[in-house]
Amino acid sequence: MIMAYKILYIDDLETDSRQQDLQNLGYEVKLYNPTSNLNDFFKEIDVDTNASVLDYRLTQGVNNACFDAPTLAQTLRTKHKEDSQGFPLVLMSNESIKVAEYDKDLTSQDLFDFVLTKEEFSKDMVSFSRKLNSFINAYKTVKDNNFDLEKILGISRESNKLHSRLISKKEEIGRNLFKFSCFIYYDIVRPIGLLIGEDVLSARLGVDKTSSDWGNLKEQLNSCAYKGIFSDYHTRWWMSDINKWWHDSISEISLRRLNADERVELLKEKLGLKDLSASITTQHSVSSNFWTICKHSKVALDPFDGVELLLDYEPWQEKEYISIDSALIKMDDYKLIVSEVDKKAIREIVKKERDNG
């Protein structure tokens, strides 16, 4: 029998309803309304606690706590800084502004594994549960495999899949369980780079995901699937394996040199999958040599047609883009990470379209 994960839920208000929600998801929930004494907090942590969910504001309850969630989180992280222990901490609050602040740069906060609003939790509790379980499983896998990066990622050391700078950064992190698991999640699994998700896979194969044979095509790529931690929440494929599969099974001409129609025709011919449709360009795109996706709309995009987002990328990560179509309607959301040259070009397109009616 699989034992329920044990969650320490920390909130000074409305704890009963949230406890029921978590219990309905299959968790064993222990409530804690914090006091002003941090030692009381540590007394509430059981040996078999698997994770803790914290409300941001903790100073309004009857126990007169004099600190909020970040203080509790920092205290726990500091305690387990060097001992390879600890468990996932999740910030879940009604204060959307605070959640947004932490969500912008979680990895620099050194506090929470992920954050969300209570409204987001209520809208999709199943997704929350899958994500939390994935983090719990990741912590256990990291400990069980003694921080062996290749084993944790589900690959052999001989595969040579990992960038040298990635390996050296892993050494810099050391045996801090929280930082190690978050490094894999936020720097390897989520970004486009060594691994790609389904939207990018669709773009690079040139295939529209609504095609009837899209599922059958993905089955052909099972050997390329990522099987490391967080694969129970995010479906990913190793791009190096996709390239090898394409070369060995489809064509010696690289994917990058072909447009979507050419890629799809080769897939149909080699695999006998007749119901595959090619992805199409957006209104303001020219090339169908798709290689990435628009960060906003997720549509297939050739970087040549995209607006580059000026972010801090690791050497093994690929740059992100938004399409011109998205930039025209969502520039306010991206203006701080778009170059002045691209802003000017977008303004010129807006002016031209306005002048043309």
Side-chain angles (χ1 to χ4, degrees):
M1 179 180 177
I2 299 176
M3 299 297 291
Y5 287 134
K6 191 168 186 177
I7 306 300
L8 177 61
Y9 180 57
I10 303 173
D11 196 347
D12 58 346
L13 300 170
E14 302 180 54
T15 53
D16 290 339
S17 62
R18 203 66 58 187
Q19 177 186 26
Q20 189 61 55
D21 288 336
L22 291 168
Q23 288 174 338
N24 289 342
L25 289 170
Y27 297 112
E28 180 183 340
V29 183
K30 182 176 183 180
L31 294 175
Y32 175 52
N33 189 333
T35 69
S36 59
N37 189 338
L38 281 173
N39 289 326
D40 292 340
F41 167 56
F42 287 107
K43 292 176 184 177
E44 296 297 320
I45 301 173
D46 298 323
V47 175
D48 57 350
T49 297
N50 297 113
S52 181
V53 178
L54 303 88
D55 183 29
Y56 180 85
R57 193 72 61 190
L58 301 173
T59 57
Q60 301 170 344
V62 295
N63 290 337
N64 299 314
C66 55
F67 44 77
D68 292 320
T71 300
L72 282 183
Q74 186 62 63
T75 302
L76 190 62
R77 294 303 188 198
T78 301
K79 178 179 180 180
H80 295 300
K81 185 177 181 180
E82 304 291 345
D83 63 4
S84 302
Q85 298 299 315
F87 44 77
L89 302 181
V90 178
L91 178 66
M92 183 167 69
S93 175
N94 281 324
E95 298 189 38
S96 57
I97 294 178
K98 289 296 182 182
V99 168
E101 288 176 2
Y102 281 93
D103 196 32
K104 281 182 180 178
D105 197 5
L106 272 172
T107 53
S108 72
Q109 304 289 348
D110 288 349
L111 296 177
F112 304 104
D113 294 83
F114 66 94
V115 302
L116 73 165
T117 63
K118 290 182 178 178
E119 181 182 3
E120 290 169 334
F121 169 78
S122 298
K123 283 183 178 178
D124 196 345
M125 287 187 269
V126 172
S127 178
F128 164 83
S129 179
R130 288 183 59 236
K131 189 172 186 177
L132 179 56
N133 292 350
S134 188
F135 270 91
I136 293 171
N137 292 332
Y139 271 56
K140 183 178 186 303
T141 300
V142 171
K143 287 192 287 187
D144 289 348
N145 287 280
N146 198 29
F147 291 81
D148 186 311
L149 185 58
E150 283 83 4
K151 289 182 179 179
I152 291 164
L153 295 177
I155 58 177
S156 66
R157 195 163 273 106
E158 294 74 27
S159 66
N160 295 318
K161 282 184 166 70
L162 304 182
H163 193 285
S164 59
R165 185 64 188 91
L166 186 153
I167 296 172
S168 61
K169 185 165 184 178
K170 173 258 182 183
E171 296 301 325
E172 294 170 11
I173 293 172
R175 298 175 65 84
N176 184 303
L177 188 56
F178 161 67
K179 289 185 177 181
F180 194 96
S181 61
C182 282
F183 166 63
I184 293 176
Y185 184 75
Y186 289 103
D187 288 343
I188 301 177
V189 173
R190 287 217 316 186
I192 302 170
L194 298 173
L195 301 173
I196 60 172
E198 186 171 357
D199 290 327
V200 178
L201 178 68
S202 167
R204 293 189 178 179
L205 295 179
V207 179
D208 189 320
K209 290 192 303 179
T210 63
S211 302
S212 298
D213 271 330
W214 174 242
N216 294 325
L217 177 56
K218 286 192 295 180
E219 288 182 8
Q220 298 279 339
L221 299 169
N222 285 339
S223 62
C224 306
Y226 170 67
K227 297 181 174 65
I229 62 172
F230 300 114
S231 61
D232 51 352
Y233 183 65
H234 285 296
T235 301
R236 296 288 185 266
W237 291 263
W238 290 100
M239 190 58 213
S240 58
D241 288 345
I242 295 292
N243 283 330
K244 185 177 186 306
W245 169 83
W246 179 268
H247 180 275
D248 294 347
S249 304
I250 308 301
S251 174
E252 293 184 1
I253 303 173
S254 70
L255 276 165
R256 195 67 181 92
R257 291 174 55 191
L258 301 168
N259 63 36
D261 287 327
E262 291 168 335
R263 297 171 195 176
V264 168
E265 287 307 310
L266 283 167
L267 288 167
K268 288 181 176 180
E269 175 189 338
K270 297 294 184 178
L271 302 178
L273 300 176
K274 302 304 180 183
D275 293 321
L276 295 177
S277 301
S279 299
I280 60 174
T281 58
T282 61
Q283 179 182 346
H284 293 90
S285 296
V286 176
S287 170
S288 66
N289 287 62
F290 303 127
W291 200 248
T292 188
I293 56 173
C294 169
K295 187 174 178 67
H296 172 69
S297 66
K298 311 304 180 187
V299 298
L301 186 68
D302 183 336
F304 174 80
D305 287 326
V307 177
E308 181 184 335
L309 301 181
L310 305 178
L311 303 170
D312 292 328
Y313 299 99
E314 296 289 359
W316 60 88
Q317 297 171 359
E318 297 182 20
K319 293 178 180 178
E320 296 182 348
Y321 300 82
I322 55 173
S323 67
I324 294 174
D325 301 70
S326 291
L328 289 171
I329 61 174
K330 283 290 183 179
M331 182 53 78
D332 282 349
D333 293 350
Y334 296 96
K335 62 185 178 183
L336 297 179
I337 51 174
V338 170
S339 73
E340 290 301 322
V341 173
D342 282 331
K343 288 180 193 174
K344 182 179 179 181
I346 296 301
R347 286 194 292 268
E348 289 174 353
I349 293 173
V350 171
K351 182 178 183 303
K352 182 178 179 181
E353 292 188 348
R354 187 184 296 124
D355 291 343
N356 291 336

